[in-house]
Amino acid sequence: KCSASFQNIRKMQLQKEITEINQAIRKSPTRSHYERLAGVYLDDLGNKNKAYEVALEGLNRFPNCDGLHLTCGRVRMERFHQDFTSNDFSEAVRHLEKSAELNPGSYKALLMLARLYSEIEAFEKARPVVEKALQISPGDPNLQKLLSVMSGVTGREVDDALNEIEARRQLSDRGREVRQIFEPAPRGGTILQ
């Protein structure tokens, strides 16, 4: 109830901006209109479904927009963390890879991609992505922690790992360890699966 109330209050506060962006999209859409609207829904209102819907609509018009692919990848990654389905994982990876291809300097896309591969222990896929991200942000503490988790471990094949994750509906112990690098548990608590 609190979350819904907060979303309603924030939506009322942002209604003017949402209306203006929607009007601009109807008159003369640009990729930045879609990026901003998806961002409002995702970051300001916490409405992942609406953010994803807006980003997909934007991608229909602007298929080479790295920011919209990043938003779609982020939403699908968050869905993967809820439901642990291979489809969400695959779609997250597809969008994040496209975002990184369109904008090779996109630290966020590379970080999320490295994280996803590492969470399923596909370290052979993760390592080159981590190296690219470290070129953009040398010494990043999260990437350094990730490298230490991967150190000396060969990892898994993507399909095998995803089949197991789907069957048990959660990450492995090492996968949860990786996830905690990026989503530290509150003091005294653990990440809920």
Side-chain angles (χ1 to χ4, degrees):
K1 286 182 180 182
C2 289
S3 178
S5 295
F6 173 77
Q7 277 189 350
N8 286 334
I9 290 168
R10 285 297 289 152
K11 189 171 183 179
M12 286 188 306
Q13 291 171 335
L14 294 166
Q15 191 58 51
K16 181 179 179 196
E17 182 179 2
I18 292 170
T19 301
E20 288 172 358
I21 297 170
N22 276 318
Q23 288 173 348
I25 286 173
R26 280 193 295 278
K27 289 180 185 174
S28 180
T30 65
R31 60 186 268 169
S32 63
H33 290 132
Y34 283 104
E35 287 176 314
R36 178 63 189 133
L37 189 57
V40 166
Y41 282 115
L42 186 58
D43 298 321
D44 297 322
L45 297 176
N47 187 336
K48 294 177 218 164
N49 292 333
K50 187 65 176 175
Y52 188 68
E53 179 184 309
V54 168
L56 285 179
E57 181 183 323
L59 284 173
N60 282 331
R61 291 182 181 211
F62 305 99
N64 292 324
C65 179
D66 64 298
L68 294 174
H69 280 289
L70 184 67
T71 297
C72 288
R74 183 174 155 202
V75 169
R76 293 306 286 258
M77 180 179 74
E78 290 179 15
R79 286 182 184 172
F80 173 69
H81 288 144
Q82 287 178 319
D83 302 327
F84 298 104
T85 64
S86 59
N87 185 51
D88 284 325
F89 176 89
S90 298
E91 284 299 299
V93 165
R94 182 177 70 83
H95 283 291
L96 293 171
E97 285 179 342
K98 187 66 175 176
S99 180
E101 174 190 322
L102 293 167
N103 180 1
S106 176
Y107 172 75
K108 288 180 180 180
L110 293 171
L111 187 68
M112 284 188 259
L113 197 54
R115 174 186 175 175
L116 275 170
Y117 279 133
S118 297
E119 285 177 348
I120 68 162
E121 299 181 59
F123 296 130
E124 297 308 312
K125 292 271 198 184
R127 280 186 182 94
V129 179
V130 170
E131 290 170 10
K132 285 182 189 175
L134 280 170
Q135 289 173 356
I136 297 168
S137 181
D140 179 286
N142 288 337
L143 291 174
Q144 295 299 332
K145 289 176 191 173
L146 184 54
L147 283 174
S148 77
V149 170
M150 291 192 296
S151 178
V153 180
T154 55
R156 316 260 335 263
E157 291 295 321
V158 171
D159 290 339
D160 294 340
L162 286 173
N163 286 337
E164 287 181 24
I165 290 167
E166 268 191 330
R168 71 175 170 259
R169 301 307 240 187
Q170 66 178 348
L171 298 171
S172 67
D173 290 342
R174 184 172 280 133
R176 286 192 297 273
E177 180 183 352
V178 169
R179 186 173 177 190
Q180 287 180 337
I181 292 170
F182 299 96
E183 296 176 13
R187 281 188 231 164
T190 58
I191 291 179
L192 300 176
Q193 291 295 326

